[in-house]
Amino acid sequence: MKQQPLVSIIDIKKYFPVGSGLFGKKNHFVKAVDGVSIDIYPGETVGLVGESGCGKSTTGRMVVGLTDPTGGEIYFEGKKLSEYRAKKSLGKNLQMIFQDPYSSLNPRMTVADIIAEPLVLHKVGNAKDRRKRVDELLERVGLDSYHGSRYPIEFSGGQRQRIGIARALALQPKLIVCDEPVSALDVSIQAQILNLLKEIQKDMGLSYLFIAHGIQAVKHISDKIAVMYLGKIIEFADKEELFANPRHPYTKALLSAVPLPNPKMRDRERIILQGDLPSPANPPAGCSFHTRCPVAMEQCRSIDPNLLSTSEQSLTACLLFEDRVAN
Amino acid sequence: MSSKESPLLEVKNLETFISTPKGEIKPVNNVSFSINKGEIVALVGESGSGKSVSSLSIMGLNASAIQYKPESSIYFKDKDLLRLEEKEMRKIRGNEIAMIFQDPMFSLNPVHTIGKQIAESIVLHKKVKYKEALETALDLLNKVGIPDAKRRLNDYPHQLSGGMRQRVMIAMALACDPQLLIADEPTTALDVTIQAQILNLLRKLQKETGISILLITHDLGVVAEMADRVLVMYCGKIVEEGTVADIFENPLHPYTKGLMSSVPELYGPSKEKLDTIPGIVPNPLELPTGCNFVTRCSYATKKCSQTAPTLLQHPSGNRVSCWNPFGKEGGSAHYETAATSINYRH
């Protein structure tokens, strides 16, 4: 029963140096990601939600090897990512879809060339095979083969995102990191892209790490959801569990803050957090959420909670759920 | 809202056009709506639907390439804004009608302190001394919930977070006690928890001041939380209008209904597949004949591709521009017989 995870992220950290001390010594860091661990199994989708600056995109970039972690390790099918000497070889299995379909496609290449580029780089097939593959991919993402000879500027946002998906699929990867793939799109187009991603997953059995701040989209597509706050995962749970029983006060506030498209729910009780997200360059001591937490206790100022199992399907990092707290 | 009271703002037959080498584009095509005192009206639509051009027309801030058809008028109280001299428009803009934008970083001047920027508009419109205006600015910052406001007066925009900047924008907009606030995607650039703060603030300020708000957004959640009345735009036209309850509970236009059902549910089990509106928004240079939505509509009939429908009062309360609107029973009831007995509202 116990399956081997496709990707194992173990306690990864990414610290960016800011400013420099005497003799150019780096002495101050932004802890963009500070100890994140996630297992992603074949065929499943893990959603990563959080507000801007919480480190979700940096996590995604580390998973595909676009940036190296400062600490911790990522395993792909049991092998350390850092042992893949040639970064290029990762591309066969790990791909990424970006948020902005306007800046992630080369405006001077035709759509067919964009989609074929990964095939060319990895020397897959000859020109004729590649052309055939491009046509298949275009069809797979809901475009026509004649679109291949056009340039990105001739397409709308949703269509460009389809092109980005076709490019990511070209090498038949096992995991695609989707970094805010629908945030820049109109509502009716978002639904089209979400459906397409789900269909592709069904057909090809690949896994997604789906990063977004739009909680509805994450909920729709994910099997498990990790909630990040200031570089850390504060709750990780099966989707149903997370929405039925959110445990961390931040998760509760986040869910309660989402405007619901139902005017009858207008007068519901909402948890409105006070203040802003603290700067990751200067995170608060103890639990990083204590400055905004509606139920913060004295201990939260000094003790940093661990991500502990709070039910069979969930992990929560909050002192309310730790034995360390005398109650 | 009593119907006798004349509306604060009345947009009538607003029609804008841009001449391009390939032909004429109409970002807003014969749009009429009104906003009453104390009302929050939401203007919903996707990119290119004409919602921003409509709102910028009210402010007189459209690019010069956008021209108005002579039938267009925008009455604010008793003045037609489209026919005002720039000098007179300036007295209204920022004073009686204020606007806040999506990205507060680009709408604040980076080289002046926020105190100075707020005070400036007060000095300009209210003819008070700078020092007095600065006092008012401080009050305003407190009112919009900026902590440690006195110190913040001397901050530059880059020293503030996105949510704080939007609060500053709101303070600035409210500086001259306007009667109408146009909020163009005011929370789109903000995080969810900050969005909740700003929406809460707008709601509170609206209650306190009785201001009217034209809220432009693509987020149906924001609409449901804020609006009294909703206008749905598609390809430069209003396709449906109604109270927020009617629009959400009983949408009549297939486009409105499509928008509603393409949003994933936050609670309850997830659908395997989301409902979608097939296709994409047509190119404004190649709009279909008949109804603009005909290419994406699953209920389109022959008539839809021949004649464009007009916005008519439907018996259920909404105004809708569709030959086959949904009836109360949920199906797409044929509507032609009903259409003969109803009259134009304007």
Side-chain angles (χ1 to χ4, degrees):
Chain A
M1 181 62 220
K2 193 76 185 151
Q3 223 179 345
Q4 187 76 352
L6 180 72
V7 172
S8 246
I9 303 169
I10 296 172
D11 199 28
I12 51 165
K13 299 184 171 83
K14 182 73 188 181
Y15 295 174
F16 293 106
V18 279
S20 49
L22 200 59
F23 308 121
K25 201 177 136 204
K26 308 283 189 208
N27 58 0
H28 201 68
F29 294 93
V30 171
K31 298 177 176 177
V33 177
D34 195 13
V36 161
S37 304
I38 304 172
D39 283 343
I40 305 170
Y41 290 88
E44 78 171 1
T45 302
V46 174
L48 203 50
V49 290
E51 300 181 280
S52 25
C54 72
K56 54 191 195 303
S57 289
T58 308
T59 303
R61 295 172 63 86
M62 287 192 279
V63 171
V64 291
L66 281 177
T67 174
D68 290 324
T70 354
E73 205 51 77
I74 300 168
Y75 293 85
F76 176 73
E77 292 186 324
K79 193 177 165 188
K80 286 182 183 173
L81 278 201
S82 53
E83 282 171 8
Y84 286 82
R85 278 303 356 136
K87 276 280 158 58
K88 213 175 90 179
S89 61
L90 285 175
K92 273 194 176 160
N93 291 312
L94 304 171
Q95 283 288 335
M96 188 153 180
I97 303 168
F98 300 91
Q99 170 172 6
D100 186 351
Y102 292 85
S103 58
S104 55
L105 304 175
N106 187 336
R108 310 186 73 161
M109 284 167 79
T110 64
V111 166
D113 288 342
I114 289 171
I115 298 173
E117 199 178 21
L119 300 170
V120 175
L121 284 173
H122 287 270
K123 303 195 173 62
V124 179
N126 57 29
K128 207 176 140 203
D129 298 337
R130 289 199 287 262
R131 208 164 319 133
K132 200 168 144 249
R133 177 88 183 115
V134 167
D135 285 352
E136 277 169 26
L137 287 163
L138 281 170
E139 196 193 330
R140 174 65 273 207
V141 298
L143 296 170
D144 284 314
S145 65
Y146 70 87
H147 286 128
S149 54
R150 299 197 179 173
Y151 288 89
I153 193 164
E154 299 172 69
F155 293 89
S156 68
Q159 288 172 316
R160 287 183 208 210
Q161 204 53 291
R162 288 173 193 269
I163 297 166
I165 293 170
R167 175 177 62 184
L169 290 176
L171 292 166
Q172 294 185 289
K174 293 186 178 152
L175 175 85
I176 298 183
V177 172
C178 311
D179 190 1
E180 303 268 11
V182 297
S183 324
L185 306 176
D186 276 322
V187 189
S188 69
I189 309 297
Q190 285 190 8
Q192 293 178 1
I193 298 294
L194 289 175
N195 281 346
L196 176 65
L197 286 171
K198 264 200 147 171
E199 270 170 42
I200 289 170
Q201 182 171 46
K202 233 178 173 177
D203 291 357
M204 301 178 50
L206 44 68
S207 307
Y208 293 130
L209 178 62
F210 191 92
I211 302 166
H213 66 270
I215 294 158
Q216 285 107 316
V218 173
K219 189 212 168 198
H220 178 71
I221 202 156
S222 308
D223 301 306
K224 296 173 188 163
I225 296 175
V227 184
M228 283 187 80
Y229 190 79
L230 282 184
K232 291 190 172 118
I233 293 181
I234 52 101
E235 187 151 12
F236 186 45
D238 283 7
K239 170 172 66 181
E240 281 77 22
E241 179 70 7
L242 188 86
F243 281 86
N245 294 308
R247 289 184 169 79
H248 198 285
Y250 177 65
T251 314
K252 286 184 184 169
L254 197 63
L255 295 183
S256 139
V258 178
L260 298 178
N262 181 353
K264 281 184 188 156
M265 303 282 283
R266 195 183 269 198
D267 296 321
R268 71 185 184 280
E269 283 281 322
R270 292 184 189 79
I271 308 167
I272 295 194
L273 293 180
Q274 300 302 311
D276 285 314
L277 204 71
S279 157
N282 189 16
C287 171
S288 50
F289 184 57
H290 85 254
T291 53
R292 299 171 78 199
C293 183
V295 292
M297 305 172 291
E298 193 50 46
Q299 298 98 309
C300 301
R301 296 168 184 273
S302 48
I303 308 175
D304 189 8
N306 296 318
L307 191 63
L308 299 173
S309 167
T310 42
S311 79
E312 259 177 51
Q313 300 91 17
S314 65
L315 300 162
T316 312
C318 177
L319 285 186
L320 288 174
F321 301 95
E322 278 197 35
D323 297 334
R324 277 197 264 177
V325 186
N327 42 353
Chain B
M1 229 43 59
S2 81
S3 54
K4 278 172 231 150
E5 204 180 337
S6 62
L8 180 68
L9 182 91
E10 196 161 21
V11 176
K12 265 191 193 161
N13 310 104
L14 181 64
E15 194 164 334
T16 62
F17 63 98
I18 305 171
S19 301
T20 75
K22 289 182 183 165
E24 203 171 76
I25 294 174
K26 290 181 179 170
V28 178
N29 190 354
N30 198 9
V31 158
S32 301
F33 65 91
S34 61
I35 301 173
N36 295 315
K37 285 189 188 112
E39 198 181 23
I40 303 183
V41 176
L43 193 54
V44 194
E46 301 182 282
S47 359
S49 61
K51 50 192 198 306
S52 287
V53 173
S54 302
S55 62
L56 290 173
S57 303
I58 300 170
M59 289 296 275
L61 288 175
N62 268 325
S64 53
I66 297 179
Q67 293 172 289
Y68 300 93
K69 288 269 153 97
E71 311 82 80
S72 313
S73 67
I74 300 177
Y75 276 91
F76 177 69
K77 295 192 282 189
D78 53 347
K79 291 186 192 113
D80 184 354
L81 300 181
L82 290 179
R83 284 164 185 81
L84 281 187
E85 297 283 327
E86 177 57 27
K87 206 174 120 199
E88 280 183 77
M89 191 62 212
R90 247 182 240 163
K91 282 187 201 154
I92 292 179
R93 191 191 297 137
N95 190 22
E96 290 177 78
I97 307 178
M99 186 159 182
I100 53 177
F101 298 89
Q102 172 171 349
D103 197 326
M105 189 67 221
F106 295 116
S107 11
L108 289 168
N109 189 331
V111 299
H112 292 302
T113 62
I114 57 167
K116 184 172 178 203
Q117 292 186 59
I118 302 175
E120 225 171 29
S121 74
I122 303 173
V123 171
L124 192 71
H125 288 295
K126 291 247 168 107
K127 311 266 179 291
V128 293
K129 292 241 164 59
Y130 182 75
K131 227 176 167 178
E132 244 174 275
L134 215 50
E135 288 289 310
T136 319
L138 180 62
D139 289 346
L140 285 164
L141 288 186
N142 277 321
K143 202 164 150 191
V144 297
I146 293 203
D148 201 1
K150 196 148 196 179
R151 193 169 58 85
R152 289 297 187 184
L153 275 180
N154 300 318
D155 274 359
Y156 290 89
H158 76 268
Q159 292 169 288
L160 304 175
S161 66
M164 285 295 161
R165 276 184 221 131
Q166 197 58 288
R167 283 175 197 266
V168 170
M169 284 303 298
I170 294 171
M172 206 183 276
L174 296 178
C176 299
D177 301 312
Q179 285 150 295
L180 175 64
L181 176 69
I182 301 176
D184 191 351
E185 304 269 8
T187 57
T188 308
L190 305 175
D191 278 316
V192 194
T193 60
I194 308 296
Q195 165 168 279
Q197 293 175 357
I198 297 293
L199 293 181
N200 219 26
L201 173 68
L202 282 174
R203 246 189 311 253
K204 187 182 121 222
L205 292 172
Q206 198 280 328
K207 270 201 193 108
E208 283 170 14
T209 61
I211 193 173
S212 307
I213 299 179
L214 177 62
L215 178 69
I216 295 148
T217 180
H218 67 276
D219 186 333
L220 293 171
V222 173
V223 175
E225 303 243 320
M226 301 289 293
D228 299 314
R229 205 148 48 84
V230 183
L231 310 162
V232 184
M233 280 189 89
Y234 186 77
C235 288
K237 287 185 176 179
I238 293 178
V239 295
E240 186 160 4
E241 181 201 336
T243 63
V244 72
D246 283 343
I247 288 278
F248 279 85
E249 270 163 46
N250 194 20
L252 299 175
H253 199 285
Y255 177 67
T256 316
K257 193 154 183 154
L259 274 186
M260 304 269 168
S261 51
S262 57
V263 183
E265 296 266 348
L266 188 59
Y267 293 102
S270 304
K271 283 185 258 181
E272 182 51 34
K273 208 174 161 177
L274 291 171
D275 297 331
T276 60
I277 302 174
I280 56 169
V281 178
N283 180 336
L285 281 166
E286 295 156 13
L287 288 179
T289 45
C291 174
N292 285 334
F293 191 57
V294 67
T295 49
R296 303 176 73 192
C297 185
S298 356
Y299 304 94
T301 58
K302 204 172 157 203
K303 186 167 191 180
C304 304
S305 50
Q306 289 165 343
T307 325
T310 44
L311 193 63
L312 298 173
Q313 185 74 42
H314 186 274
S316 81
N318 294 358
R319 284 204 297 162
V320 62
S321 168
C322 178
W323 293 118
N324 311 301
F326 291 93
K328 271 229 187 301
E329 63 283 355
S332 183
H334 232 275
Y335 178 50
E336 273 171 80
T337 43
T340 49
S341 62
I342 51 181
N343 27 18
Y344 288 87
R345 208 167 77 168
H346 23 186

